[in-house]
Amino acid sequence: MQKLSLAIHGGAGTIEKSTMTAQKEKLYKDELERILKAGYQLLNDHASAIDVVDQTVQMLEDFPLFNAGKGSVFTHDKTHEFDASIMCGKNLKAGAVAAVKNIKNPIALAKAVMESSDYVLLSGAGALEFAQLRGIALADTPYFYTQERYDQLMKIIESSSTQLDHAGGKPIGTVGAVARDYQGNLAAATSTGGMTNKRFGRVGDTPIIGAGTYANNLTCAVSSTGHGEYFIRAVVAYDISCLMAYKNMTLYQACEKVVMDKLAKVGGEGGVIATDNEGNIALVFNSPGMYRGGVSKDLPLFSAIYKEE
Amino acid sequence: MQKLSLAIHGGAGTIEKSTMTAQKEKLYKDELERILKAGYQLLNDHASAIDVVDQTVQMLEDFPLFNAGKGSVFTHDKTHEFDASIMCGKNLKAGAVAAVKNIKNPIALAKAVMESSDYVLLSGAGALEFAQLRGIALADTPYFYTQERYDQLMKIIESSSTQLDHAGGKPIGTVGAVARDYQGNLAAATSTGGMTNKRFGRVGDTPIIGAGTYANNLTCAVSSTGHGEYFIRAVVAYDISCLMAYKNMTLYQACEKVVMDKLAKVGGEGGVIATDNEGNIALVFNSPGMYRGGVSKDLPLFSAIYKEE
């Protein structure tokens, strides 16, 4: 049974064709496809799902146009604070970090928490201290500086609100990956810089197992992107798993039910990517767009941005 | 329909009759009953479930023998870091704080996050800054100092491990409350000082909506206590809700399934208290003991510590 699958996202939100250039579109799609290709190659080389979602999310974190790692948005205090989590569907182990600074690849730190601590979730300065002890790659503030993100912060501070991501409207930025490997194991990983102008050590759904990330070989692996507060209250990722386990829904039915019905009804904007133990992939969102892509045994590699694609 | 209900806990774990004195037992049970009586009086006076779980947990936080608020355990750095969360079953609003210091009643801060911010979860120094802006009562380090807790830390540092709570064995400390009010609304609240000797900004299940706390008028209100890492990975509180919603289990069946079967199988020690929209109460734990009590229209006020009670 070699039903390999890999799906990735670079955030969901108000991504309108009218505000995008053909050049920028190509930049996003080329990058999504490059990362998918690299991740799928790893799966074909018999890498484990947990290693592939880690590696794939690190590549997404390194791309400066996505709101995670290098491209993270600015907090109110003109710093960057990262949330990330990872979960293994085989043994239900998980690792996560919240509101941590100066980590080059927050998902690598989340994986280290999973693999070499008795904890699941570390936060703030303590998480940074753990990273230093484990030799996780750090990065100074200038590494995360991009002019576009800084301009966004200045604009939002003027209008004194918070905002979920970069462009106009109400965009939402996060990156994530889900995969099924040769052994039939599932895994999910999610990483974000959170909301532009966030304050008070705000933590979204990204580091919350059950909300932003969930994986269980018996059901599915899920990575969320959207307005985190709604995703926390709706326990989005685990709800999808429960609808499969307890209501016998298919992966797609469960994602549709949670994202297009339950979340949409309460105004929770965003989406999910998910895969199941048959290697099916679902990419479901209720916002105008979601940077996304997938590839599996049955599905040629593809990337997309808008709804109608 | 006046099916009022209130249940509380003061933590689950290895609470052995052999290590307890009759005097200390009485101290715990008297306090549990005093708090239950006060909380139930509020419900009878038509207070809302959300206000009652807040007030009740504040009373539990003020009791120095429980690991929350005043009686919190020491971290590795000889400080106190609090986790807390609260959720309203009527509108699914929630508030939570993680790894925050110097808050007299962490549950009051979680409620303020729910009621007067756009966020669900705040962490660390940022959460303290929010508390100061909102006029939440603070407390200096000496307020949280108890000789017993300090001795516990010293003993554990010598054995260089972390520990979930105070006494011998593997006790687990948290406080929580669930309630159903006159209007039929449910609410849940949970608060803790976490693990003795915890490091790296460790966050347990207590501030995680879906793991430590969950409330939904359609199903149940749940507050967890136990080895937080297992409770996070099992999404304990929301799993109970899903088993009721999707598998038509009763409150008690769902709590038994999650705590005595699923959690026990993976070594996740602890328990939950829960109530449903009929005012039923369930207090289920797989550890030797859980400080607990309840009262409802059908159930005279009671408190208990050990399994056999």
Side-chain angles (χ1 to χ4, degrees):
Chain A
M1 297 239 297
Q2 302 171 3
K3 296 171 178 171
L4 305 180
S5 66
L6 177 64
I8 62 175
H9 70 77
T14 309
I15 307 161
E16 303 280 15
K17 224 183 162 92
S18 58
T19 63
M20 188 76 91
T21 63
Q23 192 191 12
K24 207 166 177 187
E25 257 179 47
K26 187 172 180 318
L27 195 63
Y28 278 112
K29 295 187 70 167
D30 284 354
E31 185 67 10
L32 288 167
E33 289 174 21
R34 185 188 71 80
I35 292 170
L36 274 173
K37 203 173 288 180
Y40 201 58
Q41 185 60 51
L42 290 171
L43 284 175
N44 273 297
D45 293 344
H46 291 234
S48 67
I50 195 81
D51 285 341
V52 170
V53 297
D54 168 36
Q55 290 299 315
T56 308
V57 167
Q58 288 200 35
M59 289 185 259
L60 292 161
E61 286 174 338
D62 291 342
F63 182 57
L65 294 186
F66 292 135
N67 176 20
K70 170 142 186 67
S72 290
V73 298
F74 279 88
T75 67
H76 184 74
D77 298 328
K78 301 195 182 71
T79 63
H80 303 86
E81 283 183 4
F82 314 111
D83 298 338
S85 66
I86 189 165
M87 187 164 185
C88 174
K90 181 185 177 185
N91 53 26
L92 305 186
K93 287 204 171 186
V97 290
V100 63
K101 293 177 183 169
N102 294 115
I103 305 297
K104 183 170 176 287
N105 289 104
I107 200 67
L109 178 56
K111 189 157 180 271
V113 173
M114 178 180 74
E115 290 176 342
S116 49
S117 86
D118 295 330
Y119 303 134
V120 169
L121 175 54
L122 301 183
S123 67
L128 177 56
E129 187 193 340
F130 178 81
Q132 288 165 320
L133 285 175
R134 292 289 157 188
I136 299 291
L138 307 183
D140 286 338
T141 307
Y143 171 77
F144 303 105
Y145 183 91
T146 60
Q147 189 61 44
E148 193 184 354
R149 297 294 192 208
Y150 192 79
D151 294 344
Q152 284 161 13
L153 177 67
M154 289 301 114
K155 201 172 146 192
I156 289 167
I157 284 181
E158 276 168 31
S159 71
S160 49
S161 68
T162 56
Q163 204 166 343
L164 288 163
D165 189 16
H166 35 134
K170 197 169 66 173
I172 299 163
T174 310
V175 305
V178 296
R180 181 197 186 279
D181 67 22
Y182 257 101
Q183 279 68 48
N185 293 320
L186 307 183
T190 314
S191 177
T192 188
M195 300 164 81
T196 298
N197 199 29
K198 67 182 177 182
R199 294 182 72 176
F200 308 127
R202 178 261 186 186
V203 176
D205 64 313
T206 298
I208 309 294
I209 299 302
T213 300
Y214 187 74
N216 187 328
N217 280 2
L218 301 177
T219 53
C220 58
V222 180
S223 171
S224 307
T225 168
H227 195 149
E229 279 70 13
Y230 289 91
F231 281 62
I232 292 175
R233 292 160 54 196
V235 200
V236 164
Y238 191 60
D239 202 21
I240 290 168
S241 175
C242 286
L243 286 168
M244 294 178 70
Y246 303 149
K247 296 283 268 186
N248 294 314
M249 284 193 186
T250 65
L251 180 75
Y252 188 73
Q253 286 170 338
C255 290
E256 280 272 315
K257 177 72 187 171
V258 171
V259 174
M260 306 310 282
D261 182 17
K262 296 174 82 167
L263 263 180
K265 267 181 191 159
V266 295
E269 189 175 341
V272 300
I273 56 170
T275 190
D276 64 14
N277 49 24
E278 296 292 315
N280 295 304
I281 285 175
L283 307 98
V284 178
F285 55 102
N286 61 33
S287 46
M290 177 165 83
Y291 300 110
R292 66 197 185 277
V295 53
S296 73
K297 268 281 177 223
D298 309 322
L299 192 74
L301 191 148
F302 75 97
S303 70
I305 299 176
Y306 312 107
K307 195 168 262 177
E308 60 276 13
E309 285 181 270
Chain B
M1 298 239 298
Q2 303 172 1
K3 297 171 178 173
L4 304 180
S5 66
L6 177 64
I8 62 176
H9 70 76
T14 308
I15 308 160
E16 304 280 13
K17 225 183 163 88
S18 57
T19 63
M20 187 74 91
T21 62
Q23 192 192 11
K24 207 167 179 188
E25 258 180 48
K26 189 174 179 318
L27 195 64
Y28 277 112
K29 294 188 69 167
D30 284 355
E31 186 67 10
L32 288 167
E33 290 175 22
R34 185 188 72 77
I35 291 171
L36 275 172
K37 202 173 288 180
Y40 201 57
Q41 185 60 51
L42 290 171
L43 284 175
N44 273 297
D45 293 345
H46 291 235
S48 67
I50 196 81
D51 286 340
V52 170
V53 295
D54 168 36
Q55 290 299 314
T56 306
V57 167
Q58 288 201 34
M59 288 185 261
L60 291 160
E61 287 173 337
D62 291 340
F63 182 59
L65 294 185
F66 293 136
N67 175 20
K70 170 140 185 67
S72 290
V73 298
F74 279 88
T75 68
H76 184 75
D77 299 328
K78 302 194 183 72
T79 63
H80 303 86
E81 283 183 5
F82 314 110
D83 299 337
S85 67
I86 189 166
M87 186 162 186
C88 173
K90 182 186 178 183
N91 53 25
L92 305 185
K93 287 205 171 184
V97 289
V100 63
K101 292 176 183 170
N102 296 113
I103 304 297
K104 183 171 175 287
N105 290 103
I107 200 67
L109 179 55
K111 190 158 181 267
V113 173
M114 177 180 76
E115 289 176 344
S116 48
S117 85
D118 295 331
Y119 304 133
V120 169
L121 175 56
L122 301 182
S123 66
L128 177 56
E129 187 193 340
F130 178 82
Q132 287 165 322
L133 287 174
R134 293 289 157 189
I136 299 290
L138 308 182
D140 288 337
T141 305
Y143 171 76
F144 301 105
Y145 182 91
T146 61
Q147 189 62 42
E148 192 184 354
R149 298 293 192 209
Y150 192 78
D151 294 344
Q152 285 161 15
L153 177 66
M154 289 302 113
K155 203 173 145 191
I156 290 167
I157 283 180
E158 276 167 33
S159 71
S160 50
S161 69
T162 54
Q163 205 166 341
L164 287 163
D165 188 18
H166 36 134
K170 197 171 69 175
I172 299 163
T174 311
V175 305
V178 295
R180 181 195 186 279
D181 67 21
Y182 257 101
Q183 279 68 47
N185 294 320
L186 306 183
T190 314
S191 177
T192 189
M195 299 163 84
T196 298
N197 197 30
K198 67 182 176 183
R199 294 182 72 175
F200 308 127
R202 178 262 185 185
V203 177
D205 64 314
T206 298
I208 309 295
I209 298 302
T213 301
Y214 187 74
N216 186 330
N217 280 1
L218 300 177
T219 53
C220 58
V222 180
S223 171
S224 305
T225 168
H227 195 149
E229 279 69 13
Y230 289 91
F231 280 63
I232 291 175
R233 292 160 54 196
V235 201
V236 164
Y238 191 59
D239 200 21
I240 291 168
S241 176
C242 286
L243 287 168
M244 294 177 70
Y246 302 149
K247 296 283 268 187
N248 293 315
M249 285 192 187
T250 65
L251 179 75
Y252 188 73
Q253 287 171 337
C255 291
E256 281 271 317
K257 176 75 186 169
V258 171
V259 175
M260 306 310 283
D261 181 18
K262 296 173 81 168
L263 263 180
K265 267 180 192 159
V266 295
E269 189 176 342
V272 300
I273 56 169
T275 191
D276 65 14
N277 49 24
E278 296 292 314
N280 296 304
I281 285 175
L283 307 99
V284 178
F285 55 102
N286 62 33
S287 46
M290 178 165 81
Y291 300 109
R292 65 197 186 277
V295 55
S296 74
K297 267 282 179 221
D298 309 322
L299 191 73
L301 191 148
F302 75 98
S303 70
I305 299 177
Y306 313 108
K307 195 168 260 176
E308 60 276 15
E309 284 180 269

